[in-house]
Coordinates of all heavy atoms in Angstrom, one line a residue:
Chain A
A23 N 0.9 -1.2 0.0 CA 0.0 0.0 0.0 C 0.9 1.3 0.0 O 2.0 1.2 0.5 CB -0.9 0.0 1.2
L24 N 0.4 2.3 -0.6 CA 1.1 3.5 -0.6 C 0.9 4.3 0.6 O -0.1 4.3 1.3 CB 0.6 4.4 -1.8 CG 0.8 3.8 -3.2 CD1 0.2 4.8 -4.2 CD2 2.3 3.6 -3.5
T25 N 2.0 5.1 1.0 CA 1.8 6.0 2.1 C 1.0 7.2 1.5 O 0.9 7.4 0.3 CB 3.2 6.5 2.6 OG1 3.8 7.2 1.6 CG2 4.0 5.4 3.1
S26 N 0.5 8.0 2.4 CA -0.2 9.2 1.9 C 0.7 10.1 1.1 O 0.2 10.8 0.2 CB -0.9 9.9 3.1 OG 0.1 10.4 4.0
E27 N 2.0 10.2 1.5 CA 2.9 11.0 0.8 C 3.1 10.5 -0.6 O 3.1 11.3 -1.6 CB 4.3 11.1 1.5 CG 4.3 11.9 2.8 CD 3.8 11.1 4.0 OE1 3.5 9.9 3.9 OE2 3.6 11.7 5.1
E28 N 3.2 9.2 -0.8 CA 3.4 8.6 -2.1 C 2.2 8.8 -2.9 O 2.3 9.1 -4.1 CB 3.8 7.1 -2.0 CG 5.2 6.8 -1.5 CD 5.4 5.4 -1.1 OE1 4.4 4.7 -0.8 OE2 6.5 4.9 -1.2
A29 N 1.0 8.6 -2.3 CA -0.2 8.8 -3.1 C -0.4 10.2 -3.5 O -0.8 10.5 -4.7 CB -1.4 8.4 -2.2
Q30 N 0.0 11.2 -2.7 CA -0.1 12.6 -3.0 C 0.9 12.9 -4.1 O 0.6 13.6 -5.1 CB 0.2 13.4 -1.8 CG 0.1 14.9 -2.0 CD -1.3 15.4 -2.3 OE1 -2.2 14.7 -2.1 NE2 -1.4 16.6 -2.9
A31 N 2.1 12.3 -4.1 CA 3.1 12.6 -5.1 C 2.6 12.0 -6.4 O 2.8 12.7 -7.5 CB 4.5 11.9 -4.7
N32 N 2.0 10.8 -6.4 CA 1.5 10.3 -7.6 C 0.4 11.1 -8.2 O 0.3 11.3 -9.4 CB 0.9 8.9 -7.4 CG 2.0 7.8 -7.1 OD1 3.1 8.1 -7.5 ND2 1.6 6.7 -6.6
K33 N -0.5 11.7 -7.4 CA -1.6 12.5 -7.8 C -1.0 13.8 -8.5 O -1.5 14.2 -9.6 CB -2.4 12.9 -6.6 CG -3.7 13.5 -7.0 CD -4.5 13.8 -5.7 CE -5.8 14.6 -6.1 NZ -6.5 15.0 -4.9
I34 N 0.0 14.3 -7.9 CA 0.6 15.6 -8.5 C 1.2 15.2 -9.9 O 1.1 16.0 -10.8 CB 1.7 16.1 -7.6 CG1 0.9 16.7 -6.3 CG2 2.5 17.2 -8.2 CD1 1.9 17.1 -5.2
K35 N 1.9 14.1 -10.0 CA 2.5 13.7 -11.3 C 1.4 13.4 -12.3 O 1.6 13.8 -13.5 CB 3.3 12.4 -11.1 CG 4.6 12.6 -10.5 CD 5.4 11.3 -10.5 CE 6.7 11.5 -9.8 NZ 7.5 10.2 -9.7
R36 N 0.3 12.8 -11.9 CA -0.8 12.6 -12.9 C -1.4 13.9 -13.3 O -1.7 14.0 -14.5 CB -1.9 11.7 -12.2 CG -1.4 10.3 -11.9 CD -1.1 9.5 -13.1 NE -2.3 9.4 -14.0 CZ -3.1 8.4 -14.1 NH1 -2.8 7.3 -13.4 NH2 -4.1 8.4 -14.9
Q37 N -1.6 14.8 -12.4 CA -2.1 16.1 -12.8 C -1.2 16.9 -13.7 O -1.6 17.5 -14.7 CB -2.4 17.0 -11.5 CG -3.6 16.5 -10.8 CD -3.7 17.2 -9.4 OE1 -2.8 17.8 -8.9 NE2 -4.9 17.1 -8.8
A38 N 0.2 16.7 -13.5 CA 1.1 17.4 -14.4 C 1.1 16.8 -15.7 O 1.1 17.5 -16.8 CB 2.5 17.2 -13.7
A39 N 1.0 15.4 -15.8 CA 0.9 14.7 -17.1 C -0.4 15.1 -17.9 O -0.3 15.4 -19.1 CB 1.0 13.2 -16.9
D40 N -1.5 15.2 -17.1 CA -2.8 15.6 -17.8 C -2.6 17.0 -18.4 O -3.2 17.3 -19.4 CB -3.9 15.6 -16.8 CG -4.3 14.2 -16.4 OD1 -4.0 13.2 -17.2 OD2 -5.0 14.0 -15.4
R41 N -2.0 17.9 -17.6 CA -1.8 19.3 -18.1 C -0.9 19.3 -19.4 O -1.2 20.0 -20.3 CB -1.1 20.1 -17.0 CG -0.9 21.5 -17.3 CD -2.2 22.4 -17.1 NE -1.9 23.7 -17.5 CZ -2.5 24.3 -18.6 NH1 -3.4 23.7 -19.3 NH2 -2.2 25.6 -18.9
L42 N 0.1 18.4 -19.4 CA 1.0 18.4 -20.6 C 0.2 17.8 -21.8 O 0.5 18.2 -22.9 CB 2.2 17.5 -20.2 CG 3.2 18.1 -19.2 CD1 4.2 17.0 -18.8 CD2 3.9 19.3 -19.8
V43 N -0.7 17.0 -21.5 CA -1.6 16.5 -22.6 C -2.4 17.6 -23.2 O -2.5 17.8 -24.4 CB -2.5 15.3 -22.2 CG1 -3.5 14.9 -23.2 CG2 -1.6 14.1 -21.8
T44 N -3.0 18.4 -22.3 CA -3.8 19.5 -22.8 C -2.9 20.6 -23.6 O -3.4 21.3 -24.4 CB -4.6 20.3 -21.7 OG1 -3.6 20.9 -20.8 CG2 -5.4 19.3 -20.9
M45 N -1.6 20.6 -23.2 CA -0.7 21.5 -23.9 C -0.1 20.9 -25.1 O 0.7 21.5 -25.8 CB 0.4 21.9 -22.9 CG -0.1 22.8 -21.8 SD 1.1 22.9 -20.4 CE 2.2 24.1 -21.1
R46 N -0.5 19.7 -25.5 CA -0.1 18.9 -26.7 C 1.4 18.6 -26.7 O 2.0 18.6 -27.7 CB -0.5 19.7 -27.9 CG -2.0 19.8 -28.1 CD -2.3 20.5 -29.4 NE -3.7 20.8 -29.4 CZ -4.3 21.5 -30.4 NH1 -3.6 22.0 -31.4 NH2 -5.6 21.7 -30.4
L47 N 2.0 18.5 -25.4 CA 3.4 18.1 -25.3 C 3.5 16.6 -25.1 O 4.5 16.0 -25.5 CB 4.0 18.9 -24.2 CG 4.1 20.4 -24.4 CD1 4.6 21.1 -23.1 CD2 5.1 20.8 -25.5
L48 N 2.5 16.0 -24.5 CA 2.4 14.6 -24.3 C 1.1 14.1 -24.9 O 0.1 14.8 -25.0 CB 2.4 14.3 -22.8 CG 3.6 14.3 -22.0 CD1 3.3 13.8 -20.6 CD2 4.7 13.4 -22.6
K49 N 1.2 12.8 -25.3 CA -0.1 12.1 -25.7 C -0.2 10.8 -24.9 O 0.8 10.1 -24.7 CB -0.2 11.9 -27.2 CG 0.9 11.1 -27.8 CD 0.8 11.0 -29.3 CE 2.1 10.4 -29.9 NZ 2.2 10.6 -31.3
A50 N -1.4 10.5 -24.4 CA -1.6 9.2 -23.7 C -1.9 8.1 -24.8 O -2.7 8.3 -25.7 CB -2.8 9.4 -22.8
M51 N -1.1 7.0 -24.6 CA -1.4 5.9 -25.6 C -2.6 5.1 -25.2 O -3.3 4.5 -26.1 CB -0.1 5.0 -25.5 CG 1.1 5.7 -26.1 SD 2.6 4.9 -25.5 CE 2.6 3.4 -26.5
E52 N -3.0 5.1 -23.9 CA -4.2 4.6 -23.5 C -4.8 5.6 -22.5 O -4.1 6.6 -22.2 CB -4.0 3.3 -22.7 CG -3.3 2.2 -23.5 CD -4.2 1.5 -24.5 OE1 -5.5 1.7 -24.4 OE2 -3.7 0.9 -25.4
V53 N -6.0 5.4 -22.0 CA -6.6 6.4 -21.1 C -5.7 6.7 -19.9 O -5.5 7.8 -19.5 CB -8.0 5.9 -20.6 CG1 -8.5 6.9 -19.6 CG2 -8.9 5.8 -21.8
D54 N -5.1 5.6 -19.3 CA -4.3 5.8 -18.1 C -2.8 5.7 -18.4 O -2.0 5.3 -17.6 CB -4.7 4.8 -17.0 CG -5.9 5.3 -16.3 OD1 -6.0 6.5 -16.0 OD2 -6.7 4.4 -15.9
G55 N -2.4 6.0 -19.6 CA -1.0 6.0 -20.0 C -0.7 4.6 -20.5 O -1.5 3.7 -20.6
P56 N 0.6 4.3 -20.8 CA 1.7 5.3 -20.8 C 1.6 6.4 -21.7 O 0.7 6.4 -22.6 CB 2.9 4.4 -21.1 CG 2.3 3.3 -22.0 CD 1.0 3.1 -21.5
W57 N 2.4 7.4 -21.5 CA 2.4 8.6 -22.3 C 3.7 8.7 -23.2 O 4.7 8.1 -22.8 CB 2.4 9.9 -21.4 CG 1.1 10.1 -20.6 CD1 0.1 10.8 -21.0 CD2 0.8 9.4 -19.4 NE1 -0.9 10.7 -20.0 CE2 -0.5 9.9 -19.1 CE3 1.4 8.5 -18.5 CZ2 -1.2 9.5 -17.9 CZ3 0.8 8.1 -17.4 CH2 -0.5 8.6 -17.1
R58 N 3.5 9.4 -24.3 CA 4.7 9.6 -25.2 C 4.8 11.1 -25.5 O 3.7 11.8 -25.5 CB 4.5 8.9 -26.5 CG 5.1 7.5 -26.4 CD 5.2 6.9 -27.8 NE 5.8 5.6 -27.7 CZ 5.6 4.6 -28.6 NH1 4.9 4.8 -29.6 NH2 6.2 3.5 -28.4
L59 N 6.0 11.5 -25.8 CA 6.1 12.9 -26.3 C 5.5 13.1 -27.6 O 5.5 12.2 -28.5 CB 7.6 13.3 -26.4 CG 8.4 13.4 -25.1 CD1 9.9 13.8 -25.5 CD2 7.8 14.3 -24.1
T60 N 4.8 14.2 -27.9 CA 4.4 14.5 -29.2 C 5.6 15.2 -30.0 O 6.6 15.4 -29.4 CB 3.2 15.6 -29.1 OG1 3.8 16.8 -28.5 CG2 2.1 15.1 -28.3
D61 N 5.4 15.5 -31.2 CA 6.4 16.2 -32.0 C 6.8 17.5 -31.3 O 7.9 17.9 -31.1 CB 6.0 16.5 -33.4 CG 6.0 15.2 -34.2 OD1 6.6 14.2 -33.8 OD2 5.3 15.2 -35.3
L62 N 5.7 18.2 -30.8 CA 5.9 19.5 -30.1 C 6.7 19.2 -28.8 O 7.6 20.0 -28.5 CB 4.5 20.1 -29.8 CG 4.5 21.5 -29.3 CD1 5.1 22.5 -30.3 CD2 3.1 21.9 -28.9
G63 N 6.4 18.1 -28.1 CA 7.0 17.8 -26.9 C 8.5 17.5 -27.1 O 9.4 17.9 -26.3
R64 N 8.8 16.8 -28.2 CA 10.3 16.6 -28.5 C 11.0 17.9 -28.8 O 12.1 18.0 -28.3 CB 10.4 15.6 -29.7 CG 10.4 14.2 -29.3 CD 10.7 13.3 -30.5 NE 9.6 13.3 -31.5 CZ 8.5 12.5 -31.3 NH1 8.5 11.6 -30.4 NH2 7.5 12.5 -32.2
E65 N 10.4 18.8 -29.5 CA 11.0 20.1 -29.8 C 11.3 20.8 -28.4 O 12.3 21.4 -28.3 CB 10.1 21.0 -30.6 CG 10.1 20.6 -32.1 CD 9.1 21.4 -32.9 OE1 8.8 22.6 -32.5 OE2 8.6 20.9 -33.9
Y66 N 10.3 20.7 -27.5 CA 10.4 21.4 -26.3 C 11.6 20.9 -25.5 O 12.4 21.6 -24.9 CB 9.1 21.3 -25.5 CG 9.3 21.9 -24.1 CD1 9.2 23.3 -23.9 CD2 9.5 21.1 -23.0 CE1 9.3 23.9 -22.6 CE2 9.7 21.7 -21.7 CZ 9.6 23.0 -21.6 OH 9.7 23.6 -20.3
V67 N 11.7 19.5 -25.4 CA 12.8 18.9 -24.7 C 14.2 19.2 -25.3 O 15.2 19.5 -24.6 CB 12.6 17.4 -24.6 CG1 13.8 16.7 -24.0 CG2 11.4 17.0 -23.7
Q68 N 14.2 19.3 -26.6 CA 15.5 19.7 -27.3 C 15.9 21.1 -26.9 O 17.1 21.4 -26.6 CB 15.3 19.6 -28.8 CG 15.5 18.1 -29.3 CD 15.1 18.0 -30.7 OE1 14.8 18.9 -31.4 NE2 15.2 16.7 -31.2
R69 N 14.9 22.0 -26.8 CA 15.2 23.4 -26.4 C 15.7 23.4 -25.0 O 16.6 24.2 -24.6 CB 14.0 24.3 -26.6 CG 13.8 24.7 -28.1 CD 13.0 25.9 -28.1 NE 11.7 25.8 -27.5 CZ 10.6 25.4 -28.2 NH1 10.7 25.0 -29.4 NH2 9.4 25.2 -27.5
L70 N 15.1 22.6 -24.1 CA 15.4 22.5 -22.7 C 16.9 22.1 -22.5 O 17.6 22.6 -21.7 CB 14.6 21.4 -22.0 CG 13.4 21.8 -21.2 CD1 12.9 20.6 -20.4 CD2 13.6 23.0 -20.2
A71 N 17.3 21.2 -23.4 CA 18.7 20.6 -23.3 C 19.7 21.6 -23.8 O 20.9 21.4 -23.5 CB 18.7 19.3 -24.1
Q72 N 19.3 22.6 -24.5 CA 20.3 23.5 -25.0 C 20.8 24.5 -24.0 O 20.1 24.8 -23.1 CB 19.7 24.3 -26.2 CG 19.7 23.5 -27.5 CD 18.9 24.1 -28.6 OE1 18.4 25.3 -28.4 NE2 18.6 23.4 -29.7
Chain B
L10 N 6.8 25.9 -18.0 CA 6.3 24.7 -17.3 C 6.8 24.6 -15.9 O 7.9 25.2 -15.6 CB 6.7 23.4 -18.1 CG 6.3 23.2 -19.5 CD1 6.7 21.8 -19.9 CD2 4.8 23.4 -19.6
T11 N 6.2 23.9 -15.0 CA 6.7 23.7 -13.7 C 7.8 22.7 -13.7 O 8.0 22.0 -14.7 CB 5.6 23.1 -12.8 OG1 5.3 21.8 -13.2 CG2 4.3 24.0 -12.8
S12 N 8.6 22.7 -12.6 CA 9.7 21.7 -12.6 C 9.2 20.3 -12.6 O 9.9 19.4 -13.2 CB 10.5 22.0 -11.3 OG 9.7 21.8 -10.2
E13 N 8.1 20.1 -12.1 CA 7.5 18.7 -12.1 C 7.2 18.3 -13.6 O 7.4 17.2 -14.0 CB 6.2 18.7 -11.3 CG 5.5 17.4 -11.2 CD 6.1 16.5 -10.1 OE1 6.3 17.0 -9.0 OE2 6.4 15.3 -10.5
Q14 N 6.6 19.3 -14.3 CA 6.3 19.0 -15.7 C 7.5 18.8 -16.5 O 7.6 17.9 -17.4 CB 5.4 20.1 -16.3 CG 4.0 20.1 -15.7 CD 3.2 21.4 -16.0 OE1 3.8 22.4 -16.2 NE2 1.9 21.3 -16.0
N15 N 8.5 19.6 -16.3 CA 9.8 19.5 -17.0 C 10.4 18.1 -16.7 O 10.9 17.5 -17.7 CB 10.8 20.6 -16.6 CG 10.5 21.9 -17.4 OD1 10.0 21.8 -18.5 ND2 11.0 23.0 -16.8
Q16 N 10.3 17.7 -15.5 CA 10.9 16.4 -15.1 C 10.2 15.2 -15.9 O 10.8 14.3 -16.3 CB 10.7 16.2 -13.6 CG 11.7 15.3 -12.9 CD 11.4 15.2 -11.4 OE1 10.8 16.1 -10.8 NE2 11.8 14.1 -10.9
L17 N 8.8 15.3 -16.0 CA 8.1 14.3 -16.7 C 8.4 14.3 -18.2 O 8.6 13.3 -18.8 CB 6.6 14.6 -16.5 CG 6.0 14.4 -15.1 CD1 4.5 14.7 -15.1 CD2 6.2 12.9 -14.6
M18 N 8.6 15.5 -18.7 CA 9.0 15.6 -20.2 C 10.4 15.0 -20.4 O 10.6 14.2 -21.4 CB 9.1 17.1 -20.6 CG 7.7 17.8 -20.6 SD 6.6 17.1 -21.8 CE 7.4 17.7 -23.3
I19 N 11.3 15.2 -19.5 CA 12.7 14.6 -19.7 C 12.6 13.1 -19.5 O 13.2 12.4 -20.2 CB 13.6 15.3 -18.7 CG1 13.9 16.8 -19.1 CG2 14.9 14.5 -18.6 CD1 14.5 17.6 -18.0
Q20 N 11.8 12.7 -18.5 CA 11.6 11.2 -18.3 C 11.1 10.6 -19.5 O 11.5 9.5 -19.9 CB 10.7 11.1 -17.1 CG 10.8 9.7 -16.4 CD 9.9 9.7 -15.2 OE1 9.7 10.7 -14.5 NE2 9.3 8.5 -15.0
A21 N 10.0 11.2 -20.1 CA 9.4 10.6 -21.3 C 10.4 10.6 -22.5 O 10.4 9.7 -23.3 CB 8.2 11.4 -21.7
S22 N 11.2 11.6 -22.5 CA 12.2 11.7 -23.6 C 13.3 10.6 -23.5 O 13.7 10.0 -24.4 CB 12.9 13.1 -23.6 OG 14.0 13.1 -24.3
Q23 N 13.7 10.4 -22.2 CA 14.8 9.4 -22.0 C 14.3 8.0 -22.1 O 15.0 7.1 -22.6 CB 15.4 9.7 -20.6 CG 16.3 10.9 -20.6 CD 16.7 11.3 -19.2 OE1 16.2 10.8 -18.2 NE2 17.7 12.2 -19.1
S24 N 13.1 7.7 -21.7 CA 12.6 6.3 -21.7 C 11.8 6.0 -22.9 O 11.5 4.8 -23.1 CB 11.7 6.1 -20.4 OG 12.3 6.7 -19.3
G25 N 11.4 7.0 -23.7 CA 10.6 6.7 -24.8 C 9.1 6.8 -24.5 O 8.3 7.4 -25.2
T26 N 8.8 6.2 -23.3 CA 7.4 6.3 -22.8 C 7.4 6.7 -21.3 O 8.4 6.4 -20.7 CB 6.6 5.0 -23.0 OG1 7.4 4.0 -22.4 CG2 6.3 4.7 -24.4
L27 N 6.4 7.3 -20.9 CA 6.3 7.7 -19.5 C 5.3 6.9 -18.8 O 4.1 6.8 -19.2 CB 5.9 9.2 -19.4 CG 5.6 9.8 -18.1 CD1 6.9 9.9 -17.3 CD2 5.0 11.2 -18.2
H28 N 5.7 6.2 -17.8 CA 4.8 5.3 -17.0 C 4.6 6.0 -15.6 O 5.5 6.3 -14.9 CB 5.3 3.9 -16.8 CG 5.4 3.2 -18.1 ND1 4.4 2.3 -18.6 CD2 6.3 3.2 -19.1 CE1 4.8 1.8 -19.7 NE2 5.9 2.3 -20.1
L29 N 3.3 6.1 -15.2 CA 3.0 6.7 -13.9 C 2.2 5.7 -13.2 O 1.3 5.0 -13.8 CB 2.3 8.0 -14.0 CG 3.1 9.2 -14.6 CD1 2.2 10.4 -14.7 CD2 4.3 9.5 -13.8
P30 N 2.3 5.5 -11.9 CA 1.5 4.6 -11.1 C 0.0 5.0 -11.2 O -0.3 6.2 -11.2 CB 2.0 4.7 -9.7 CG 3.1 5.7 -9.7 CD 3.3 6.3 -11.0
I31 N -0.8 4.0 -11.3 CA -2.3 4.3 -11.2 C -2.6 4.7 -9.8 O -2.1 4.2 -8.8 CB -3.1 3.0 -11.6 CG1 -2.6 2.5 -12.9 CG2 -4.6 3.3 -11.6 CD1 -3.0 3.3 -14.1
E32 N -3.5 5.7 -9.7 CA -3.9 6.2 -8.4 C -4.7 5.1 -7.6 O -5.4 4.4 -8.2 CB -4.8 7.4 -8.6 CG -4.1 8.7 -8.8 CD -5.1 9.8 -8.9 OE1 -5.8 10.1 -8.0 OE2 -5.1 10.4 -10.0
D33 N -4.5 5.1 -6.3 CA -5.3 4.2 -5.5 C -6.7 4.6 -5.6 O -7.0 5.8 -5.5 CB -4.8 4.3 -4.0 CG -3.6 3.4 -3.7 OD1 -3.3 2.6 -4.6 OD2 -3.1 3.5 -2.7
P34 N -7.6 3.7 -5.7 CA -9.0 4.1 -5.7 C -9.5 4.6 -4.4 O -8.9 4.4 -3.4 CB -9.8 2.8 -6.0 CG -8.8 1.7 -5.7 CD -7.4 2.3 -5.8

């Protein structure tokens, strides 16, 4: 079982991923993931790395 | 983006796919 801290951390990650989907940086392969970068997401990560 | 979101983006980039635990019901 998860501790409440772990459950809260998971919830925050899920919310962050959902937000990235609405920003078209990630796409969910199924309803509950896994997720992949979109073309736009790949461009963003490349800019981050520079 | 937030640091959390950037972290997820980098994780997805490095692994190819991003897997997150399913929330407890």
Side-chain angles (χ1 to χ4, degrees):
Chain A
L24 295 177
T25 65
S26 62
E27 287 84 6
E28 286 169 334
Q30 182 64 19
N32 286 345
K33 191 177 174 187
I34 290 169
K35 281 186 186 177
R36 294 295 299 259
Q37 286 171 345
D40 286 344
R41 181 82 183 113
L42 291 169
V43 170
T44 66
M45 294 165 79
R46 296 182 187 173
L47 294 172
L48 281 185
K49 60 186 169 192
M51 296 159 71
E52 304 285 342
V53 175
D54 279 321
W57 292 263
R58 270 194 177 156
L59 294 181
T60 62
D61 289 342
L62 190 62
R64 270 189 289 276
E65 281 176 30
Y66 176 79
V67 171
Q68 279 171 3
R69 282 202 300 272
L70 262 189
Q72 283 169 5
Chain B
L10 297 188
T11 65
S12 59
E13 183 80 50
Q14 288 167 335
N15 278 336
Q16 207 180 334
L17 293 178
M18 292 296 288
I19 290 164
Q20 202 179 323
S22 166
Q23 289 171 344
S24 315
T26 53
L27 175 68
H28 294 264
L29 295 177
I31 305 291
E32 278 180 64
D33 273 352

